[in-house]
């Protein structure tokens, strides 16, 4: 009977750790898919930098998000990139968008909700 609080606390901690692991795995899969889609759809694209982050990326509220950011170079225009990637992604200007950089460089941002959005990482 005295161990019941300890067992419950360990169960909650285990659940949070499992949720963190699943959220990070989801971010890794999202970033890998985005990289593969860029390589497939943008034939002349050369990936320069890949960045991903799991946590409360917006700084508002208590939730966890998966953020993938890939910088690449291509001869295509921003509209051509969006057209080629529009089958797999919905460009909304907030959670999914392409930002032009220096001449021929673009950064693709993709943010989605994590599978365990109320995890401790979001607090």
């Amino acid at each position: 009977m005295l161990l019941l609080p300890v067992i419950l606390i360990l169960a909650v901690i285990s659940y949070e750790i499992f949720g963190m692991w699943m959220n990070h795995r989801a971010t890794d899969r999202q970033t890998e898919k985005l990289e593969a889609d860029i390589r497939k759809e943008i034939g002349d694209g050369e990936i320069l930098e890949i960045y991903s982050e799991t946590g409360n990326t917006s700084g508002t509220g208590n939730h966890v998000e998966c953020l993938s950011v890939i910088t690449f170079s291509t001869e295509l225009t921003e509209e051509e990139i969006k057209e080629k990637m529009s089958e797999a992604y919905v460009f909304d200007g907030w959670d999914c968008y392409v930002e032009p950089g220096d001449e021929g460089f673009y950064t693709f941002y993709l943010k989605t909700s994590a599978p365990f959005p109320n995890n401790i990482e979001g607090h």
Side-chain angles (χ1 to χ4, degrees):
M1 192 66 140
L2 293 174
L3 290 178
L4 186 59
V6 173
I7 292 170
L8 289 175
I9 289 171
L10 289 176
V12 169
I13 291 171
S14 296
Y15 178 77
E16 290 295 329
I17 290 172
F18 175 75
M20 289 171 61
W21 179 78
M22 290 299 291
N23 288 344
H24 283 269
R25 182 65 192 124
T27 301
D28 292 343
R29 282 184 297 201
Q30 173 180 289
T31 304
E32 290 165 4
K33 181 184 181 316
L34 179 57
E35 178 183 4
D37 288 344
I38 288 173
R39 290 187 191 281
K40 177 183 167 193
E41 296 297 331
I42 302 173
D44 70 339
E46 180 184 339
I47 294 183
L48 305 171
E49 185 178 354
I50 299 173
Y51 172 79
S52 63
E53 180 180 340
T54 306
N56 187 345
T57 60
S58 64
T60 60
N62 295 327
H63 58 278
V64 181
E65 300 158 328
C66 303
L67 174 66
S68 303
V69 181
I70 297 182
T71 302
F72 60 97
S73 64
T74 183
E75 296 294 323
L76 299 176
T77 66
E78 181 179 353
E79 290 306 314
E80 291 171 326
I81 294 167
K82 287 180 181 178
E83 183 180 314
K84 287 182 176 279
M85 301 292 283
S86 65
E87 281 191 36
Y89 303 96
V90 177
F91 294 92
D92 62 5
W94 183 257
D95 291 328
C96 181
Y97 61 95
V98 175
E99 185 176 81
D102 293 336
E103 194 172 310
F105 294 95
Y106 295 91
T107 303
F108 194 116
Y109 294 88
L110 178 62
K111 180 174 60 173
T112 60
S113 180
F116 290 82
N118 294 320
N119 189 266
I120 192 73
E121 281 185 300
H123 298 277

